[in-house]
Amino acid sequence: MQSLVSQLQQLRGKRVSDIVDEAGHQYIDLVMEGGGVLGLSLVGLSLVGYTFGLEAAGIRFRSVAGTSAGAINALLVQALGTPFDPKSEKMIAAVANMPMASFQDGSKLSRLATEAWLAGKHWLWKYSVSLAILRPLLKHLGLNPGTTFHQWLKNILADNHSDSWQALKQQMNTPVPGLRFDPVPLPDNLEAPNAVPFDPQNWQVELKVVTAELSSTTKIVLPERDGKLFYTDLNQANIGMSVPVFFYPFKVPLPKTQSVTDAWQALGYKKKSMPDTAVFVDGGLISNFPINLFHTSNSVPKMPTFGAKLGIEEYVAGNIDSIKPYLGSLIGAMRHDADEEFIRKNPDYKKRVTSIDTGDHHWLYFALSNEAKLDLFKRGLAASLAFLKNFDWPEYKKTRLTLAGLK
C-alpha cells in the first residue's frame, strides 16, 4: 500500500483540471455509485481507498453526488472538512469502525432470519421468515427501524459541525485560498471558444443525494434541488432515506405551507392530490449511478467529473427461467437503465469513470475482518492509481470540444 501511495504522490504534477489553488491542489466533481446501506462497509472502504488515492495525487473535490452508500460517502466528503482539506483519513476512521451489527436494530427474530440467510441456512430462514419478516414488514414495511444507523451518522455530522444543511453548506463554501483558472492548452493547437469567465467568489459547491419518494413515485435529488417539496426550512432539515425491506422507510409529514404547496403544484399536483407524508427509500432503486448530475453540454468544462463504480462491468445476458432471476432482473433494470442510457448517449463519460474491483467480498457481510477491510481499501487505492495514469485531461477537453460541435 505504501508503494501505491508513493506512486500516487508522484502524479501530483500531472494536470487533471483547469481549476487550482495556491497550494497546487486541482479540483474535480465526483459521483459515487451506490450499493445499499448494508454494503456501506464494503462500498465505503473501496470508495474511501479511491478518494484517498485522488487526494494523495493532489486532487480535491468541489461538488459531490451519490446514491445509497455512495450518497453516504458523498456526504462524508463534504462534511469532514473544507473543500481544500484532505478528508479520507477521517473517512477511514468512520467507515472502518462502523458498528454494522448494531444497525440490525429490529427484533431478535429479524436478526436470526438475516443471519440464517447469509450463512446459507435456508431451512432456518424459512422457519423464521413467517415470524421475523412478515410481521414487521406488514406493520412497518421493513425489518429494522434504522434509528441506530441514523444516530451513528448524526453523531459524525455533529462532531464535525455539519449537523444541519445550513451548517454543512457554510463549511462547503469556505473560500479556497488562491483559487484560480489555470487552463491546460488543448492538443493540436486547438483553442476553446470563450466561455463564462471563472469567478472564485461565485464558485458553487454542491452536494446531491439521490433518493426515491414512493408516494409520488418520483426520483428526488436532495438537499437543494427538491428539498422545497418537503421542508419549510431546508436549512434546518435532517434528511434521510432507507434500504427497502431491511430498514423501515424514512417518512416525513409534509407541511401544508404555501411554499411547499407551490412547489408541488409546479410539478403538476393539485393541493388535494399532494401526499400527506413523503416516504423515502434508497435511490438506488431508480438511479444507482447518477453520473449526469453535474453534466453540462455544448461547452468544454473547466474541471472534469470523475465517477466511481463498484465492481467490474461485465455485460452478460441472463436466463429468466424462475422467479429469482426474474425479480433480480426487474430490480436491475430499474436501478441501472436510466444511468446506462445517459452513458451510451455520452460516451466521453467512460473516459472519466473508474470501476473498482471489489473481489469476492459479499456486500451483505456485517462483520468484515481487518484483512478484508484492508483489501477493499487497497483495491480502491489501486483503481485510483490505474485511472490517473491513463486519464488525459487535454485530450478529454479536445473530445468535449468535438462533441459540442465547437471544433
Side-chain angles (χ1 to χ4, degrees):
M1 273 218 310
Q2 291 175 344
S3 173
L4 291 173
V5 172
S6 177
Q7 292 178 68
L8 283 157
Q9 290 173 338
Q10 292 173 20
L11 293 174
R12 282 179 175 265
K14 180 176 181 178
R15 292 298 299 273
V16 299
S17 173
D18 288 345
I19 304 299
V20 299
D21 66 16
E22 67 179 19
H25 300 131
Q26 302 181 67
Y27 288 81
I28 67 164
D29 293 332
L30 178 63
V31 177
M32 290 177 277
E33 187 178 35
V37 175
L38 292 180
L40 184 55
S41 188
L42 185 159
V43 174
L45 284 164
S46 53
L47 287 175
V48 170
Y50 174 76
T51 56
F52 187 97
L54 296 185
E55 288 186 342
I59 294 171
R60 296 294 184 264
F61 311 107
R62 182 187 67 159
S63 296
V64 189
T67 299
S68 187
I72 302 300
N73 279 272
L75 174 61
L76 293 178
V77 166
Q78 299 293 41
L80 298 183
T82 66
F84 49 88
D85 289 326
K87 322 287 183 63
S88 296
E89 289 193 10
K90 287 185 177 181
M91 291 173 68
I92 292 170
V95 177
N97 297 316
M98 185 186 305
M100 286 292 293
S102 68
F103 295 163
Q104 299 181 80
D105 52 1
S107 68
K108 291 183 179 180
L109 286 174
S110 294
R111 291 196 296 274
L112 174 66
T114 304
E115 291 164 4
W117 177 261
L118 294 178
K121 299 177 180 179
H122 300 312
W123 61 270
L124 183 58
W125 181 80
K126 290 178 180 178
Y127 167 76
S128 59
V129 68
S130 60
L131 296 174
I133 294 181
L134 293 182
R135 185 183 302 168
L137 276 180
L138 291 174
K139 185 177 181 179
H140 301 292
L141 306 179
L143 294 177
N144 301 286
T147 52
T148 304
F149 171 73
H150 196 199
Q151 189 60 51
W152 170 81
L153 190 55
K154 286 175 65 176
N155 291 342
I156 292 176
L157 298 179
D159 290 343
N160 288 275
H161 313 291
S162 301
D163 51 351
S164 70
W165 175 233
Q166 183 178 40
L168 176 55
K169 188 164 54 173
Q170 182 176 351
Q171 177 166 271
M172 287 163 50
N173 285 283
T174 302
V176 177
L179 190 69
R180 68 186 187 278
F181 177 53
D182 182 19
V184 177
L186 286 162
D188 303 326
N189 296 317
L190 293 172
E191 291 187 10
N194 293 328
V196 177
F198 178 72
D199 181 2
Q201 301 301 320
N202 292 319
W203 200 49
Q204 288 190 333
V205 179
E206 297 179 288
L207 170 66
K208 294 188 177 184
V209 171
V210 175
T211 182
E213 200 289 298
L214 298 186
S215 297
S216 59
T217 62
T218 304
K219 173 184 172 181
I220 297 297
V221 179
L222 296 170
E224 291 284 3
R225 196 191 82 173
D226 298 320
K228 59 184 177 296
L229 293 167
F230 312 101
Y231 301 97
T232 301
D233 186 359
L234 181 61
N235 283 331
Q236 302 305 318
N238 187 288
I239 297 165
M241 59 181 173
S242 75
V243 175
V245 180
F246 185 77
F247 286 138
Y248 298 176
F250 186 77
K251 297 182 178 181
V252 176
L254 292 189
K256 300 301 182 180
T257 61
Q258 191 62 48
S259 61
V260 171
T261 300
D262 289 346
W264 279 94
Q265 288 179 341
L267 289 181
Y269 285 82
K270 296 181 180 179
K271 189 171 184 179
K272 291 182 179 179
S273 63
M274 283 175 51
D276 295 320
T277 302
V279 180
F280 293 108
V281 296
D282 193 317
L285 286 176
I286 50 178
S287 179
N288 205 44
F289 185 49
I291 190 65
N292 63 317
L293 287 179
F294 301 127
H295 180 68
T296 56
S297 59
N298 302 320
S299 65
V300 177
K302 293 181 174 66
M303 68 181 76
T305 299
F306 288 176
K309 289 177 66 67
L310 280 303
I312 300 301
E313 290 184 336
E314 292 182 327
Y315 293 97
V316 179
N319 294 319
I320 311 300
D321 52 8
S322 65
I323 189 64
K324 184 177 180 180
Y326 175 69
L327 293 176
S329 295
L330 278 177
I331 295 172
M334 290 187 293
R335 294 174 69 208
H336 298 295
D337 187 65
D339 301 329
E340 292 297 328
E341 180 66 19
F342 176 81
I343 293 177
R344 284 192 290 269
K345 291 181 177 178
N346 298 272
D348 60 296
Y349 265 72
K350 288 189 176 293
K351 297 183 178 181
R352 296 185 282 115
V353 174
T354 306
S355 292
I356 304 172
D357 183 2
T358 54
D360 297 326
H361 301 286
H362 195 294
W363 74 288
L364 277 171
Y365 284 159
F366 290 99
L368 288 172
S369 66
N370 286 336
E371 291 77 11
K373 293 177 181 179
L374 188 63
D375 183 57
L376 286 164
F377 180 84
K378 184 177 179 180
R379 287 172 180 272
L381 198 63
S384 68
L385 176 61
F387 172 75
L388 288 177
K389 280 184 174 180
N390 293 317
F391 181 68
D392 189 329
W393 173 234
E395 193 64 33
Y396 175 74
K397 291 201 297 180
K398 177 183 174 182
T399 299
R400 285 295 299 269
L401 192 69
T402 302
L403 290 173
L406 303 173
K407 179 178 174 181

